[in-house]
Amino acid sequence: MNIPEVILCKFGEVVLKGANRQNFESALVKELRRRACPYGNFKIYFKQSTVYVEPLDELCDMDGMYEEAKRVFGIVGVNRAAVCEKNMEDIIRVAKEYLPEKLAGKRTFKVDAKRSDKKFPLKSPEISAEIGGVILSFGSRIKVDVHNPEVTVTVEVRDDNAFIRAGQEPGAGGLPIRSAGRGLLLLSGGIDSPVAGCMMAKRGLEIEALHFESFPYTSERAKEKVMTLAEEMCAFCSRIHVHVISLTHIQEEIRDRCEEDYFTILLRIFMMRLAERCAREYKCQALITGESLGQVASQTLAAIAVTDSVVNMPVFRPCIGLDKTEIIKEARHYGTFDTAILPFEDCCTVFTPRHPRTQPKLGDVMRELEKLDVEALLDEAYATLTTETKLVYPEYR
Ligand code: ATP
Ligand code: MG
C-alpha cells in the first residue's frame, strides 16, 4: 500500500494555556524533534492544535516514531492518518485503499467528520455519510453504531490536506517536558522515587537526579541499579543528569555521636540540605522525593515537617497520597518496576535504628544535630559530587 501517512499528535491541556500557549507548543515541537532523531527524517510542526509528524522519505521508521510519540508528555492522543487531497474524489479513493486493513475484524464503526476549512463544499454530516457508505461497501460484516462503535473513523478536512484515520491511542498526557522549570529528584534505588520523578516530568518539569551512596556500606552494584533506573526513566524524561554524593562519613559521624533513635531523621536532614545545595548549583527550582505519608518512620507527618523545615525551596512529593499498590502500578507504567525490586542495599538501610522516632520534635532533633560539625560535614560530602548523564538514546541532545 502506497498511501502516504503522517502521525498526528493531539495537544492536551496545552491548548488551555492562553497567552503562554506558544511556549508550550514550541517546547512540545522541540521535544518531538529531539525524540525523532533515531527514526529518520521527519518534518515536525504545529498547526491547528495538532503536531504533525511527517516522514520525509521511505527510510523513516513510522512504527518506531509512533511508539515514541506515545511517551512524549503534553500529547493526549496519537494516531496515524492517511493523507488525501482536499476533494471528495481523493478522500474516497484513499478511504477505499487505506481503511479495509484498518477495519479488518471490527464489528461496528462510526464516521466522524471534522471540517476546519468551512469552504469545503460538503458539510461534516455529508462527508460522514459518504465515507460510511464507502465502508459498508467493503462487503465485510461491519455495521454502523453511532453510540458505541468499536472503532471511530475520522475524516478531517484541514487547511492543506484532508486526513483519514481509524481510531486514536492515548498519549502520555500532562505538559511538555521543560515547560515548567527544573526539579531535583532525590533518587534512591526503590520503587517510589522513580515514579515521583516521572510524575513531575509529566507536569512539565525537567528532571535532574541526586543519589546518595554510602560506599563501602552500599555497593557499586547498588549505584549501578540507580543508574539503570535513571536510564529507564529517560523513556519518558528524555535526559537526566544523575549526581552522586557520598554520605559515608556523615553516616559514621551520626552513628558515633548521636542517639540511635534519631539516626534516620538526622540522615534525612543532611540529605535535604545537600539536595538543596545541589539544586541551587544546577538551577533546579524544587526538590522531589518519593515519600508517601506514613509509609515508614521517616514519612510520618512529624518527620516530614522536620525535613521540610531545613530547606528553603518547594519540596514536591507526588506519591504522598498514593498507597503502595498505586505506586507499583505507576512504576510498571513507567517501566521502572522490574529494576526497582532488585534487592540491593540503600544508604537508608545502613545503620538503621531499632526504634526510629516516628514523632520527632524539631527541638530534640536540633539538639542531636548540635553534636555534629554540620557545616563541615556538608562541605566535605558535597565535594564528593560526581555527575553522569543518561539519555533516552545516544542521539538525544
Ligand atoms: P523509595 O522507594 O523511593 O526508595 P522508600 O519508600 O524506600 O522510597 P525512604 O527510603 O524513606 O522511602 O526514602 C524516601 C525518599 O527519600 C525516597 O523516595 C527518595 O526520594 C529519598 N531517598 C531515600 N534514599 C535515597 C538515596 N540513597 N539517594 C537519594 N534519595 C534517597
Ligand atoms: Mg528507599
Side-chain angles (χ1 to χ4, degrees):
M1 188 171 61
N2 260 335
I3 305 271
E5 267 189 316
V6 293
I7 298 169
L8 302 178
C9 305
K10 300 282 174 178
F11 262 27
E13 276 175 68
V14 171
V15 284
L16 305 175
K17 297 293 169 189
N20 265 336
R21 186 178 151 152
Q22 270 197 339
N23 297 342
F24 288 95
E25 287 167 9
S26 81
L28 183 54
V29 168
K30 269 194 203 145
E31 177 63 8
L32 269 165
R33 284 187 185 143
R34 291 199 190 95
R35 298 279 287 245
C37 295
Y39 303 103
N41 268 325
F42 289 90
K43 184 176 170 195
I44 299 176
Y45 57 96
F46 177 86
K47 210 169 181 187
Q48 296 177 294
S49 305
T50 302
V51 185
Y52 288 71
V53 181
E54 261 179 44
L56 290 178
D57 56 48
E58 244 96 272
L59 297 174
C60 285
D61 173 2
M62 286 289 278
D63 294 338
M65 187 62 224
Y66 181 70
E67 291 307 313
E68 193 66 40
K70 286 199 256 175
R71 293 185 289 267
V72 174
F73 290 128
I75 294 170
V76 282
V78 188
N79 59 71
R80 285 171 78 145
V83 185
C84 335
E85 283 169 35
K86 264 176 65 174
N87 59 65
M88 243 6 243
E89 227 171 43
D90 201 55
I91 294 172
I92 290 169
R93 175 190 68 82
V94 171
K96 281 182 178 161
E97 271 186 67
Y98 185 71
L99 288 175
E101 190 193 311
K102 303 277 172 198
L103 300 180
K106 306 277 192 241
R107 278 167 306 202
T108 55
F109 78 101
K110 79 166 181 185
V111 181
D112 192 7
K114 294 181 180 153
R115 199 178 56 131
S116 56
D117 173 7
K118 302 294 175 207
K119 287 193 225 96
F120 193 73
L122 268 64
K123 297 212 169 65
S124 300
E126 293 163 353
I127 302 172
S128 297
E130 187 90 35
I131 299 302
V134 169
I135 294 171
L136 291 171
S137 76
F138 290 161
S140 63
R141 280 202 218 126
I142 197 161
K143 289 199 190 88
V144 176
D145 180 347
V146 286
H147 301 296
N148 194 15
E150 208 180 329
V151 58
T152 300
V153 171
T154 307
V155 181
E156 284 188 72
V157 182
R158 292 175 152 251
D159 286 354
D160 305 329
N161 288 97
F163 299 90
I164 302 179
R165 61 179 158 96
Q168 166 157 290
E169 282 195 277
L175 299 170
I177 201 136
R178 281 190 264 276
S179 63
R182 192 182 293 148
L184 181 68
L185 169 68
L186 282 80
L187 180 61
S188 68
I191 297 170
D192 310 335
S193 46
V195 167
C198 291
M199 288 176 78
M200 294 319 298
K202 185 175 179 178
R203 296 312 301 165
L205 281 187
E206 178 177 8
I207 301 299
E208 193 121 349
L210 172 59
H211 175 65
F212 296 105
E213 62 167 5
S214 196
F215 194 75
Y217 305 108
T218 60
S219 63
E220 196 52 37
R221 287 178 66 202
K223 188 170 111 186
E224 279 314 307
K225 173 187 170 182
V226 172
M227 291 299 166
T228 307
L229 283 172
E231 215 164 278
E232 289 168 348
M233 289 173 68
C234 287
F236 287 88
C237 303
S238 301
R239 179 187 62 203
I240 303 180
H241 302 296
V242 189
H243 310 288
V244 179
I245 290 179
S246 167
L247 285 183
T248 310
H249 192 214
I250 289 176
Q251 290 198 270
E252 288 170 342
E253 285 287 293
I254 294 176
R255 176 196 60 188
D256 294 344
R257 294 175 196 274
C258 302
E259 239 183 84
E260 185 183 322
D261 296 1
Y262 291 92
F263 283 2
T264 310
I265 190 81
L266 291 171
L267 184 63
R268 296 206 63 81
I269 289 176
F270 278 95
M271 284 184 171
M272 296 301 273
R273 294 277 313 268
L274 289 165
E276 183 178 20
R277 199 182 280 196
C278 181
R280 294 203 189 279
E281 181 171 351
Y282 292 92
K283 311 265 181 292
C284 302
Q285 299 97 352
L287 301 179
I288 304 163
T289 79
E291 288 161 305
S292 160
L293 191 62
Q295 197 188 74
V296 287
S298 63
Q299 298 177 23
T300 60
L301 183 51
I304 287 175
V306 170
T307 46
D308 250 8
S309 72
V310 300
V311 291
N312 267 316
M313 62 169 53
V315 182
F316 294 146
R317 300 177 170 90
C319 299
I320 200 76
L322 301 182
D323 53 46
K324 203 74 191 183
T325 36
E326 290 168 318
I327 299 174
I328 288 173
K329 190 169 159 233
E330 292 296 309
R332 288 189 198 280
H333 170 66
Y334 290 118
T336 53
F337 181 72
D338 292 341
T339 303
I341 56 173
L342 295 174
F344 287 112
E345 65 294 338
D346 180 62
C347 67
C348 295
T349 57
V350 175
F351 315 139
T352 33
R354 281 159 293 179
H355 308 291
R357 283 292 159 114
T358 53
Q359 300 301 325
K361 294 209 180 63
L362 189 57
D364 297 342
V365 177
M366 291 306 151
R367 222 163 295 127
E368 282 301 310
L369 207 57
E370 276 166 23
K371 298 176 180 172
L372 303 167
D373 189 349
V374 176
E375 297 308 317
L377 283 170
L378 287 171
D379 289 345
E380 184 198 354
Y382 198 73
T384 67
L385 186 144
T386 53
T387 304
E388 263 184 54
T389 299
K390 299 292 172 196
L391 300 169
V392 54
Y393 32 68
E395 298 93 327
Y396 187 94
R397 281 286 176 257

